[in-house]
Amino acid sequence: MRSDQPADTDVYGARTRPAPATTPAGAVATLVAVLIGAAVAVGLGAFGKIHEPQFFSVSVAGFSSGTAVKTWLATLAVSLAVFQLVSAFAMYRLIPGGRAPSWITTAHVWSGRLAVLASVPVAVHCLYALGFQSGDSRVFFHSLFGCFFYGVFVTKMMLLTRKGLRPWVIPIVGGLLFFVLVYVWLTSALWFFETTGVTL
């Protein structure tokens, strides 16, 4: 900080607020959110395991199959998640070049909502049409991380508006959510593209 810079401004001269203090209630909220997220992940996995696969999904006109629809929706979700990552770096001022533009926060929020919205038909297809499968390591870990994704998502949503959290909680949960989504895409959509080609 420059000697002539007020204590409540950042390196760009913008007014800042002091970081909120962490509280025991914040730690409890984190633990509760993690436990509920874990319960969601286990619940989805249990449903997928005991549910008899229907091998049916709703196709969209212009696509060759329900699997192709699932693949492209998953790709859309990952593309939006990449924007989420970049915009988060901009919001935390981890990208050189100064302050983030004023619209970045709104774009970050809506890209996250659209990413989850795009993932819902994919999850319905996986759980209802295919179930939790473990025929080989790729399918097993895809099923496992697919359930884990929604557990982490629920955890993050429960923590976003909580006060008194440690400052690293939301970035860690958000980063984990991004990692899990990318892994799910690598074990499904990328595999589909590699085996059938980049087609609709």
Side-chain angles (χ1 to χ4, degrees), residues 169-181:
V169 169
I170 295 300
I172 289 295
V173 175
L176 183 60
L177 190 66
F178 175 79
F179 166 77
V180 173
L181 180 60

Side-chain angles (χ1 to χ4, degrees), residues 3-192:
S3 59
D4 61 338
Q5 179 179 323
D8 60 347
T9 61
D10 62 15
V11 294
Y12 303 105
R15 304 288 292 186
T16 60
R17 296 179 181 177
T22 58
T23 64
V28 171
T30 301
L31 178 60
V32 169
V34 169
L35 291 175
I36 292 176
V40 169
V42 171
L44 290 174
F47 171 81
K49 193 66 176 177
I50 64 177
H51 170 70
E52 183 177 350
Q54 301 300 306
F55 303 105
F56 171 80
S57 63
V58 179
S59 294
V60 176
F63 289 89
S64 59
S65 65
T67 303
V69 176
K70 168 190 167 183
T71 298
W72 283 103
L73 284 174
T75 301
L76 173 61
V78 165
S79 300
L80 290 167
V82 170
F83 177 80
Q84 279 262 293
L85 182 67
V86 174
S87 59
F89 270 65
M91 289 162 57
Y92 280 95
R93 298 184 180 178
L94 299 176
I95 297 178
R99 299 171 60 184
S102 58
W103 52 264
I104 200 72
T105 301
T106 301
H108 178 82
V109 170
W110 277 100
S111 62
R113 291 172 178 172
L114 291 173
V116 173
L117 183 63
S119 76
V120 170
V122 178
V124 171
H125 173 89
C126 289
L127 288 171
Y128 184 76
L130 304 175
F132 190 104
Q133 298 187 15
S134 55
D136 58 53
S137 59
R138 179 191 66 83
V139 173
F140 172 72
F141 283 107
H142 174 74
S143 300
L144 187 67
F145 276 73
C147 296
F148 187 45
F149 170 79
Y150 284 98
V152 178
F153 171 72
V154 169
T155 299
K156 182 182 178 184
M157 291 302 100
M158 292 184 65
L159 293 174
L160 275 179
T161 58
R162 293 287 181 178
K163 299 186 182 299
L165 302 178
R166 294 186 179 276
W168 48 262
V169 169
I170 295 300
I172 289 295
V173 175
L176 183 60
L177 190 66
F178 175 79
F179 166 77
V180 173
L181 180 60
V182 170
Y183 185 87
V184 170
W185 181 83
L186 290 173
T187 53
S188 57
L190 180 61
W191 175 86
F192 178 84

